Amino acid sequence: MTQEKASSNGRLIAIIAMFFLFAMISFVTNLAAPLGTIWKNQYDWSGMMGNMMNFLAYLFMGIPAGNLLVKIGYKKTALLAMAVGLVGLVFQYLSSVFGAETPVFTVGGQPVMLNFVIYLLGAFICGFCVCMLNTVVNPMLNLLGGGGNKGNQLIQTGGSLNSLAGTLTPLFVGMLIGTVTASTAMSDVAPLLFIAMGVFVCALIIISLVAIPEPHMAKKGAKAVKYAHSPWNFRHTVLGVIGIFFYVGIEVGIPGVLIFYLSDSSVSGITTNATAVAGAVAAIYWLLMLVGRATSSVISGKVSSRTQLIVVSATAIVLIALAIFLPSTIRVSMPAYSVEEGFNMAQVPISALLLVLCGLCTSVMWGGIFNLAVEGLGKYTAQASGIFMMMVVGGGVMPLIQNAIANSAGYMTSYWLVIAMLAYLFFYGVSGSKNVNRDIPVDDEVENAL
């Protein structure tokens, strides 16, 4: 085997490993929602708390994760992430074993038991895992693709597998859990947690056997180095960091408020199985994200990230504006599902269809923003990746703000916030993504040794 062929095979194996990690990210994240339905029966305010703890972890772990890439490399960071995720799942399992009779504090006069606190701690630890994995796979795929359009193409392909895992995980969890009733407890889903632990162990073994390039890791025995600049010195990177914060808020907020809107029969006009219909319609949004990412993975080799971001942000603005202004009396048929009726077609406001179609637009934004924001960073890419992961906390912050607007001014009115964030992304694609700091050296030579 020639050296060139061996190098090509090694690159392919590394790409496959990164794709696998992309799917793992979605697997971990999407465990939170179905487990949250169990806790919601005990604490009516707790349904999204596990999800919030996942996102909150990004705020604390983003920059440290980027620093880990520099100090111990991509592979060891990924292995450490797997170990951390395993610990998080163990904590969630422990919440089913003890603490159900031990009150810790009260919320609204209702005692909150220790087992719920243990569960939240487990979800928070799993958030560390997901943050670290995200920090690894995005710059690694961009690097393996050679940056530019090809780098974005690999990120979008990995994103497709991420969306596929995100679609399949709730279905798989649903089959294992079955119908959630008031008596359903965490102990009833212990087999699910054991399966998840098994997946993490397998992932840890697989990644340990794969050779992964380490372009940004400090050399063994070398003194710590301090660069004269940082990712914060690049305007297009700083604006991209803000863009990622807004993007995750857009991605989560659109279907999140849509579910509340359709579930509210007095507003949506859906009088039968409104909650089930809302869940089914929102699921189509995530399915369209899979379609969009798969499509982008095909065209990204020829169509630039900048062009894609401009087109999809402008399209999403038009779709949401129409959803806001068109009256709810205009109805369309969309697929729905309920236990009583199975799969059927439900009549929903046309705004639901327009909002769901935004999934095609949001699907390509993450890869596009990341690709544009790290373009030309060179040795600063790993640090920038950590900063980006920190800002994923926007998926917890902006939907909360949107929900507050929805409660006070109406569901559709809250989508003006989404339009404002999309307008920023449009600006970033048109102008903000241009690298105006090309005078900053980004090669691998050390600028200043400590």
Side-chain angles (χ1 to χ4, degrees), residues 55 58 134 244-245 248 366 387-396:
F55 278 114
Y58 280 86
N134 257 315
I244 285 290
F245 180 86
V248 186
W366 172 276
I387 296 171
F388 276 104
M389 293 312 109
M390 180 181 70
M391 300 312 290
V392 171
V393 72

Side-chain angles (χ1 to χ4, degrees), residues 168-338:
L168 295 179
T169 299
L171 295 177
F172 176 65
V173 173
M175 288 188 292
L176 290 176
I177 294 179
T179 302
V180 177
T181 66
S183 61
T184 303
M186 283 294 289
S187 57
D188 296 317
V189 298
L192 166 66
L193 295 174
F194 287 135
I195 291 174
M197 291 178 201
V199 171
F200 267 86
V201 172
C202 291
L204 195 151
I205 294 173
I206 291 172
I207 297 301
S208 68
L209 299 175
V210 174
I212 298 175
E214 304 288 359
H216 300 297
M217 186 177 68
K219 293 182 179 180
K220 187 175 181 180
K223 293 183 179 180
V225 298
K226 182 178 180 181
Y227 295 135
H229 300 87
S230 77
W232 296 110
N233 294 119
F234 295 82
R235 193 198 71 154
H236 72 293
T237 302
V238 174
L239 295 179
V241 166
I242 299 172
I244 285 290
F245 180 86
F246 284 155
Y247 160 70
V248 186
I250 293 168
E251 179 193 277
V252 176
I254 290 177
V257 173
L258 175 61
I259 289 177
F260 297 145
Y261 168 59
L262 295 180
S263 299
D264 190 339
S265 300
S266 63
V267 178
S268 67
I270 303 173
T271 57
T272 305
N273 297 320
T275 302
V277 170
V281 171
I284 298 174
Y285 171 90
W286 297 107
L287 181 61
L288 290 180
M289 283 196 69
L290 170 60
V291 173
R293 283 174 171 168
T295 302
S296 179
S297 68
V298 174
I299 69 172
S300 289
K302 297 180 180 179
V303 181
S304 71
S305 303
R306 182 169 175 266
T307 298
Q308 290 187 53
L309 182 60
I310 292 172
V311 171
V312 296
S313 57
T315 302
I317 289 174
V318 172
L319 289 172
I320 294 180
L322 289 173
I324 292 173
F325 287 112
L326 289 177
S328 61
T329 52
I330 302 177
R331 319 290 286 187
V332 295
S333 294
M334 294 189 69
Y337 176 82
S338 66

